[in-house]
Amino acid sequence: LSLVNCSALEDENSDSAGNGGGHEFVDENGTDDDIFTSFNETHDFDDEFSAEDYSVYNNETGSKETPDLVGEKSSQDIILVTNNNTDNNRFNNHEDVRLLQIENYKKGNALLLNIHITHHAGTTFCAAMKQIGNTPSNACNGGDDWPETVPRHRPWEYDETDRNAIELRKVYHFISWEFGIIPPIPLENVNWESPHLVSVIVMKDPIDRRLSGDGTILKMFGKEKYRSEEQWWEFAEYDGSINFMLTRLTPDRCGTEGENTTEECLETGKELLRRFTYILDVKCLDEGLEALAGELGFSLPYLNKDSGKTQVSARERIGDDELYEFILRRNQRDFELYEWSKGLSLVNCSALEDENSDSAGNGGGHEFVDENGTDDDIFTSFNETHDFDDEFSAEDYSVYNNETGSKETPDLVGEKSSQDIILVTNNNTDNNRFNNHEDVRLLQIENYK
């Protein structure tokens, strides 16, 4: 009954330490002091295995080295990366890269960097990261506290990425690069595979981004609420915002061609996104940041629960289908990039919406409320939907009244009630005590919270 089964945990640790067989590797001195060691993975190979097929990562030099095979049950465990089509300083196995970056961040050896496309929730992201540790004073982008050993330009060239990231991590855990203008150096030049850099980009629907507005847009086209039809069309035809994401992510600004932007341009943008450690979707940014915190080993004490959530659709805000479709056509490649990126997002917002929809009762089944048709005084947090056969009787179940500490008989109010409550069976229970241990635990835990 223990919350953690220690025996199972020991077996699991035993397997990961190499007792389950397989070959493991250490460096040429038989030690792993300077190499990446945290994952304790056991790698099984067939008889044709060659140590030349794999490398270990030297955290000090930033390069891969050929390991020595030291037996099936070595006490040294290190991460291996395949040598397929890689040079000495760059890995093409994205998952291996991510594992190195994540573990180095946890150890204080990697910098967290947000590639901030303007109006892609950079302010919210920065505010959250300031709660975790040191960040640059000026919107996480820079400031008077910037170390003199690191140049202020952005982005970085490939060969300077490691050094700059290592130096900055001595001062900050997180920085941001905001790109309202087109980067002076192509973003693809950065060594995104550096084990000392954890990169994040937040993606956003391109029309929602267009409608975010700023001082320049307001000055040019007026406030959204008061725009005339002429101003709306001038806004839609404005070239400065066409395929805003692609023009900043690609080296040749190919997105500026509007609806004539090529498929090749789109693929170039995708290729860069694949190289980032994480992609978040602004549509469920809160959940994305919470998932990121879980991956990187910190907790967020506070989140703005409304961040990233658009209450009214872009089409409704524009209020003219022809105008909306015109903007969509001109930014079609940006829209395609955003839709594609959802598949790589740390949190799938669409799946989350479906899950929330199901938990709210839209998935069918019967639900219950108290005799007044409300759930004000009853336990409601779990949002469970209960399915019953035709012989169901409301008398078989009770709801818990949190105010009186007793059970009450619910009313059946239809299959898709907006009220969701926890039900407990009436088998051999008196009015004030439940014998269903799991129901009791849920109530206790929720009441503690």
Side-chain angles (χ1 to χ4, degrees):
L1 299 181
S2 175
L3 183 59
V4 175
N5 185 321
C6 301
S7 298
L9 195 64
E10 287 174 354
D11 292 341
E12 181 180 316
N13 291 338
S14 174
D15 290 343
S16 68
N19 298 330
H23 296 295
E24 294 146 324
F25 299 85
V26 296
D27 66 3
E28 58 185 357
N29 300 315
T31 65
D32 64 353
D33 292 339
D34 295 326
I35 50 181
F36 186 79
T37 63
S38 296
F39 287 95
N40 299 320
E41 296 184 351
T42 298
H43 299 264
D44 296 304
F45 307 104
D46 57 30
D47 295 334
E48 298 179 4
F49 166 77
S50 167
E52 296 176 358
D53 295 335
Y54 288 80
S55 290
V56 299
Y57 180 75
N58 186 316
N59 207 29
E60 192 170 275
T61 64
S63 63
K64 297 190 300 177
E65 299 175 358
T66 302
D68 293 328
L69 182 58
V70 294
E72 293 190 357
K73 294 186 179 180
S74 166
S75 61
Q76 314 287 11
D77 298 320
I78 62 176
I79 193 166
L80 302 178
V81 292
T82 61
N83 287 338
N84 303 333
N85 303 317
T86 60
D87 59 41
N88 195 46
N89 291 299
R90 184 171 175 182
F91 313 153
N92 68 348
N93 185 322
H94 184 64
E95 190 56 28
D96 285 338
V97 171
R98 289 184 68 255
L99 293 176
L100 286 166
Q101 292 169 332
I102 292 165
E103 189 64 19
N104 274 336
Y105 174 84
K106 292 178 180 178
K107 290 182 173 181
N109 294 326
L111 178 73
L112 181 58
L113 166 65
N114 176 31
I115 302 91
H116 173 203
I117 307 296
T118 297
H119 297 315
H120 282 217
T123 302
T124 299
F125 201 165
C126 174
M129 293 302 101
K130 282 183 178 293
Q131 298 178 67
I132 306 306
N134 287 341
T135 67
S137 58
N138 184 12
C140 296
N141 281 267
D144 296 337
D145 55 348
W146 192 266
E148 294 181 358
T149 55
V150 181
R152 291 177 178 267
H153 69 261
R154 64 190 64 175
W156 299 325
E157 292 287 6
Y158 188 91
D159 291 339
E160 63 180 339
T161 302
D162 269 343
R163 184 187 69 82
N164 289 348
I166 291 170
E167 286 300 308
L168 283 177
R169 183 57 207 260
K170 295 176 182 177
V171 185
Y172 314 119
H173 84 102
F174 170 87
I175 70 169
S176 180
W177 287 348
E178 181 173 3
F179 294 109
I181 62 171
I182 294 173
I185 300 171
L187 282 168
E188 66 177 21
N189 287 20
V190 180
N191 180 10
W192 299 112
E193 291 73 30
S194 168
H196 302 291
L197 188 66
V198 176
S199 53
V200 187
I201 187 169
V202 178
M203 300 296 285
K204 187 174 184 177
D205 181 288
I207 303 186
D208 285 339
R209 199 214 71 81
R210 285 287 309 272
L211 293 173
S212 296
D214 53 38
T216 301
I217 295 297
L218 292 177
K219 187 175 181 179
M220 293 173 66
F221 309 112
K223 291 184 178 181
E224 180 181 316
K225 184 177 180 180
Y226 303 110
R227 275 180 201 152
S228 65
E229 181 179 355
E230 181 181 0
Q231 286 176 313
W232 268 115
W233 277 103
E234 290 174 351
F235 169 81
E237 293 168 349
Y238 176 55
D239 290 339
S241 296
I242 295 177
N243 289 321
F244 197 87
M245 288 187 289
L246 273 176
T247 56
R248 280 135 188 87
L249 296 175
T250 56
D252 55 1
R253 308 180 182 186
C254 55
T256 56
E257 298 171 10
E259 56 193 292
N260 296 319
T261 300
T262 64
E263 181 76 20
E264 181 181 2
C265 177
L266 175 62
E267 291 303 317
T268 301
K270 290 180 181 179
E271 185 59 34
L272 180 63
L273 291 185
R274 289 189 186 99
R275 295 176 62 190
F276 297 147
T277 315
Y278 293 108
I279 295 175
L280 303 182
D281 186 346
V282 78
K283 196 172 183 181
C284 55
L285 183 61
D286 301 327
E287 292 80 2
L289 289 175
E290 288 172 345
L292 181 68
E295 292 256 322
L296 297 180
F298 58 78
S299 59
L300 293 169
Y302 169 78
L303 280 177
N304 175 10
K305 291 301 182 181
D306 292 325
S307 63
K309 293 179 172 60
T310 302
Q311 302 299 323
V312 181
S313 71
R315 186 185 290 272
E316 290 175 299
R317 289 173 65 183
I318 292 171
D320 183 320
D321 286 345
E322 182 183 358
L323 186 61
Y324 175 86
E325 294 297 337
F326 176 79
I327 297 174
L328 183 60
R329 283 197 307 275
R330 298 195 83 199
N331 295 275
Q332 182 61 34
R333 294 302 189 189
D334 250 12
F335 184 78
E336 291 174 10
L337 183 66
Y338 171 62
E339 289 297 310
W340 173 86
S341 74
K342 292 179 179 181
L344 298 182
S345 179
L346 183 58
V347 175
N348 185 318
C349 300
S350 298
L352 197 65
E353 287 178 350
D354 293 341
E355 180 181 315
N356 290 339
S357 176
D358 289 343
S359 69
N362 297 331
H366 294 296
E367 293 146 328
F368 298 86
V369 295
D370 65 12
E371 59 185 357
N372 298 315
T374 66
D375 65 352
D376 293 338
D377 296 324
I378 50 179
F379 185 79
T380 63
S381 296
F382 288 95
N383 296 322
E384 296 183 351
T385 298
H386 301 264
D387 295 303
F388 306 103
D389 57 31
D390 294 335
E391 298 179 3
F392 166 78
S393 168
E395 296 176 359
D396 295 336
Y397 288 80
S398 291
V399 299
Y400 182 74
N401 186 314
N402 209 27
E403 190 171 276
T404 65
S406 62
K407 298 190 299 176
E408 299 175 357
T409 301
D411 292 329
L412 183 58
V413 292
E415 294 189 357
K416 294 186 178 180
S417 167
S418 61
Q419 314 287 11
D420 299 320
I421 61 174
I422 192 167
L423 301 178
V424 292
T425 60
N426 287 337
N427 303 332
N428 302 316
T429 61
D430 59 39
N431 195 45
N432 291 297
R433 185 172 175 182
F434 313 154
N435 69 348
N436 182 323
H437 182 64
E438 187 57 24
D439 287 337
V440 172
R441 287 184 67 253
L442 295 177
L443 288 165
Q444 293 169 329
I445 293 166
E446 189 65 18
N447 275 334
Y448 172 84
K449 293 177 181 178

